[in-house]
Amino acid sequence: MTFTEGGSFEGGRVKTSRGRRGAAAGGGVGLLAIAVYVISQLTGVNLTPVVDAVQGGAPGAVQATESTLGTCSAAEANSQRDCRLSATVYALDTYWAETLPANNLTFSQPDVWSFESAMETGCGTASASTGPFYCPPDKAIYIDLGFYDLLQSQYGASGGALAEMYVVAHEYGHHIQQITGVMDQANRQGTGADSDSVKTELQADCYAGLWTGHAATVVDPKTGVTFLNPITQTELSDALSAAQAVGDDHIQQQSSGGVNPDTWTHGSSEERQRWFMTGYTEGTITACDTFSAASL
């Protein structure tokens, strides 16, 4: 999807952190450190410190520089990843600020951090070896934009702007779960195809699809124009390709050549695509109730 000509997004919504090295985050929820996650699941060994060392970092060594992203035009959001992140967050803010009160829920914005190297979070140290995640204690999203390159080069996603927006919308979906109480009610420590961990992730995928289906009709109150142009079939395929790439079965197959559903925490590629499309086509929060679904 492309941002509508004439759109403009003020700065300050996305915070940035550059410089600090560290070990991997613990307790976050989302599209986590794919390679580390897979190997850890299969072996039971935490390899994050090894990854950090290979990437040239020592835990807790370098002072971070913090700031915020500045104002971006629609043209910049369509061509630059950092501006696209900022504009996507504004679009998500507006959509959920309208949708949650309509469902008798009180909306609050999550913090959003774009980091490089590493930064401290309420879920531990987020490092370059982790992907995007939501940290419930902070009520914040953390994302290293370099994750998108890994998604394409290592796991075969087709890339594209909507694929990147899907990742952000998925993590934002975890913040919606924080508001609805799912984060507190679900047992997110378990694994397996029918676990609460998988149901939590698939619901976030559904929320991402829900936003995607409405994004081209949500008007930016500051500019009076819609945030995004109507989605194309190619763009939708890019989002589904990203969802397929982060399916547990696909990741395990790529890593070890085998599939073990007992260790799943995010759901299969088919499930992730299907629940994204459920939100996209059904268009309601109630359609995203993965916990009451007869089967995932």
Side-chain angles (χ1 to χ4, degrees), residues 32 57 150 159 188 218 231 262:
L32 300 174
L150 175 66
R188 295 183 288 109
V218 177
I231 190 173
D262 289 338

Side-chain angles (χ1 to χ4, degrees), residues 37-38 41-42 190-193 195 198 248 252 259-266:
Y37 157 74
V38 172
Q41 286 292 314
L42 293 174
T191 63
S195 66
V198 168
D248 283 323
Q252 290 179 339
V259 175
N260 181 6
D262 289 338
T263 65
W264 288 2
T265 59
H266 286 63

Side-chain angles (χ1 to χ4, degrees), residues 4-60:
T4 306
E5 183 178 353
S8 181
F9 312 96
E10 65 186 38
R13 183 66 182 90
V14 176
K15 304 172 186 178
T16 65
S17 178
R18 304 289 184 260
R20 183 176 302 155
R21 306 295 304 187
V29 182
L31 302 171
L32 300 174
I34 292 181
V36 175
Y37 157 74
V38 172
I39 297 172
S40 296
Q41 286 292 314
L42 293 174
T43 67
V45 178
N46 179 11
L47 299 180
T48 299
V50 177
V51 174
D52 285 338
V54 170
Q55 291 174 332

Side-chain angles (χ1 to χ4, degrees), residues 95-293:
Y95 172 72
W96 287 111
E98 296 173 354
T99 301
L100 288 190
N103 287 269
N104 299 314
L105 294 165
T106 301
F107 173 73
S108 63
Q109 294 180 351
D111 286 337
V112 181
W113 285 89
S114 173
F115 70 91
E116 292 177 359
S117 295
M119 69 173 295
E120 298 298 326
T121 82
C123 296
T125 303
S127 76
S129 62
T130 68
F133 68 93
Y134 176 76
C135 180
D138 294 348
K139 298 181 181 178
I141 296 165
Y142 296 91
I143 180 169
D144 181 342
L145 296 178
F147 171 78
Y148 299 132
D149 295 325
L150 175 66
L151 200 58
Q152 290 180 256
S153 64
Q154 298 296 318
Y155 292 93
S158 59
L162 187 57
E164 296 181 10
M165 295 180 200
Y166 153 72
V167 172
V168 180
H170 172 96
E171 302 308 335
Y172 206 111
H174 287 311
H175 179 66
I176 301 306
Q177 292 171 322
Q178 181 77 14
I179 293 173
T180 63
V182 165
M183 284 295 180
D184 293 329
Q185 296 165 9
N187 174 17
R188 295 183 288 109
Q189 302 305 311
T191 63
D194 294 323
S195 66
D196 280 2
S197 297
V198 168
K199 293 175 182 178
T200 299
E201 295 298 332
L202 295 180
Q203 185 174 68
D205 281 333
C206 189
Y207 286 159
L210 181 59
W211 169 75
T212 303
H214 288 90
T217 62
V218 177
V219 174
D220 184 345
K222 291 185 173 63
T223 63
V225 299
T226 57
F227 281 99
L228 290 150
N229 292 317
I231 190 173
T232 67
Q233 186 58 48
T234 297
E235 290 165 340
L236 182 60
S237 296
D238 286 340
L240 290 172
S241 175
Q244 188 272 338
V246 292
D248 283 323
D249 55 340
H250 177 73
I251 294 171
Q252 290 179 339
Q253 188 71 41
Q254 291 284 97
S255 175
S256 67
V259 175
N260 181 6
D262 289 338
T263 65
W264 288 2
T265 59
H266 286 63
S268 69
S269 293
E270 185 276 331
E271 288 170 334
R272 302 202 70 166
Q273 291 177 313
R274 173 160 48 88
W275 279 102
F276 175 88
M277 288 303 299
T278 296
Y280 181 80
T281 57
E282 296 294 328
T284 66
I285 286 181
T286 55
C288 294
D289 187 0
T290 54
F291 291 86
S292 297

